[in-house]
Amino acid sequence: MTGTMRAAVLDAPGPAEALQIRELPIPEPRPGWVLIRVEAFGLNRSELHTRLGLAQGVTFPRVLGIEATGVVAAAPGGEFLVDQQVAALMGGMGRTFDGGYAEYTCVPASSVVAFRSDLDWATLGAVPEMLQTAHGSLTVGLDAQPGQSLLIRGGTSSIGMAAAILGKDRGLTVLSTTRRPEKAAALEAIGVDQAIVDDGRIEPAVHALLPEGVDLALELVGTPTLPDTLRATRLHGVVCFTGMLSNVWSVRDFYPIDYIPRGVRLTAYHARDLPAPVLQSFLDHVAAGQLIVPIHRTYALDEIAIAHADMEAGNATGKLVVLP
């Protein structure tokens, strides 16, 4: 395919305005790679880390975006059919090669998941990375089982809201935090059993509700709140460290015996676990009205700097989606 496309390019780390819309050649896929016409893409915190210069292994200039949703424009290896609906995520997107902030993206076939859906593109664009992270955290990270209690630290993030929706669907009792009291209603609207206003120390509030602590906890804020989350978890409970909304993800002078409460288990989730049946089932349940996709706002590609500024400011309650 020849011609040009519009893309948001980052020449070097900087403010939101550093993302510039430019005309670039449409990529030419080689065997084993897939060219996708992007219909929608979601924004992710890792892309903010890249823009701020916090990510490792990134070369510039770079088209950001660790996910994209659209249709296949070309697949010279035959892995997918032209015009087939697909989602692409991770595998180096937006870091070691150009990602989804464009009208077209070219990605390894191993990063592509096919699906079929009549949902609108804004909804479809919100799902891939949000679903895979929430689903992977609950299954691989926490092995959540029906009847257990789950604390989500960072509940109004897109992943936090998706985890709550999936958790309720799995039969969990869900406690979810927000730093802003006015956002508690948004958590209750998606089925959260108890919204907790996070002032930096939620352990007393959790133990007032569940004296022994929660069975499971999903840490999405980062290491500044992790010790408090661990203390809110019961003996033999599990805490999964997945997110870094605080942009702080390391612990200085880590001494496990002092840091981790007696008998509480600390694990982590970081991978790409989105089997095609999981994606298809989720989309089918959304189409049937049985599950919802938490979208805060959609943007045009020309509004990418505004979208990034909103993400950085923490203004969103749910997913931010761009329609190129």
Side-chain angles (χ1 to χ4, degrees):
M1 179 177 293
T2 59
T4 61
M5 66 178 187
R6 299 171 72 244
V9 181
L10 184 68
D11 290 318
E17 293 74 21
L19 290 162
Q20 296 291 314
I21 304 298
R22 295 190 187 141
E23 291 281 338
L24 298 178
I26 295 175
E28 289 286 343
R30 60 185 184 270
W33 288 62
V34 179
L35 180 66
I36 299 170
R37 185 178 76 243
V38 179
E39 299 289 349
F41 62 84
L43 267 61
N44 299 280
R45 200 76 183 180
S46 67
E47 294 144 9
L48 174 60
H49 296 160
T50 300
R51 178 172 63 73
L52 295 176
L54 302 175
Q56 297 181 344
V58 181
T59 56
F60 297 98
R62 178 63 63 219
V63 176
L64 301 188
I66 66 169
E67 67 175 318
T69 306
V71 297
V72 174
E79 299 90 348
F80 299 93
L81 300 175
V82 172
D83 292 332
Q84 189 171 11
Q85 290 179 303
V86 291
L89 63 161
M90 301 181 69
M93 286 183 68
R95 292 194 171 191
T96 58
F97 58 88
D98 286 343
Y101 286 20
E103 293 177 325
Y104 288 85
T105 189
C106 189
V107 303
S110 58
S111 295
V112 179
V113 184
F115 65 87
R116 300 175 307 280
S117 180
D118 292 327
L119 293 168
D120 62 274
W121 282 111
T123 300
L124 295 171
V127 170
E129 179 63 16
M130 179 174 66
L131 175 62
Q132 83 87 16
T133 305
H135 176 265
S137 295
L138 292 181
T139 56
V140 177
L142 291 170
D143 190 26
Q145 301 298 320
Q148 291 183 308
S149 56
L150 169 68
L151 168 66
I152 302 173
R153 194 77 181 256
T156 56
S157 66
S158 60
I159 293 171
M161 296 187 82
I165 291 165
L166 294 178
K168 291 302 299 179
D169 189 55
R170 296 176 74 88
L172 304 179
T173 298
V174 178
L175 289 65
S176 195
T177 73
T178 176
R179 293 175 299 163
R180 302 181 183 181
E182 65 273 16
K183 289 188 174 184
L187 294 175
E188 293 165 356
I190 61 171
V192 166
D193 295 285
Q194 183 68 51
I196 298 174
V197 177
D198 190 346
D199 61 359
R201 184 167 179 260
I202 63 167
E203 175 199 358
V206 172
H207 282 288
L209 295 165
L210 299 169
E212 294 184 358
V214 291
D215 299 313
L216 311 170
L218 177 57
E219 178 60 69
L220 298 174
V221 175
T223 56
T225 56
L226 180 58
D228 185 56
T229 300
L230 286 162
R231 291 191 297 269
T233 306
R234 69 165 176 81
L235 180 69
H236 298 159
V238 183
V239 177
C240 179
F241 186 91
T242 293
M244 297 161 285
L245 295 169
S246 62
N247 294 343
V248 182
W249 50 85
S250 61
V251 179
R252 294 187 62 184
D253 303 320
F254 178 64
Y255 177 44
I257 291 178
D258 180 60
Y259 193 92
I260 303 174
R262 181 177 66 93
V264 176
R265 298 159 183 172
L266 175 60
T267 185
Y269 177 76
H270 50 90
R272 188 186 81 85
D273 295 295
L274 185 58
V278 171
L279 175 59
Q280 189 64 58
S281 175
F282 180 81
L283 296 176
D284 291 345
H285 281 80
V286 172
Q290 298 167 340
L291 295 174
I292 61 173
V293 177
I295 298 175
H296 180 80
R297 180 183 165 183
T298 61
Y299 305 80
L301 186 60
D302 289 328
E303 298 176 298
I304 189 66
I306 298 172
H308 255 249
D310 286 344
M311 176 168 58
E312 187 171 7
N315 292 333
T317 303
K319 191 75 169 180
L320 304 179
V321 181
V322 177
L323 302 170

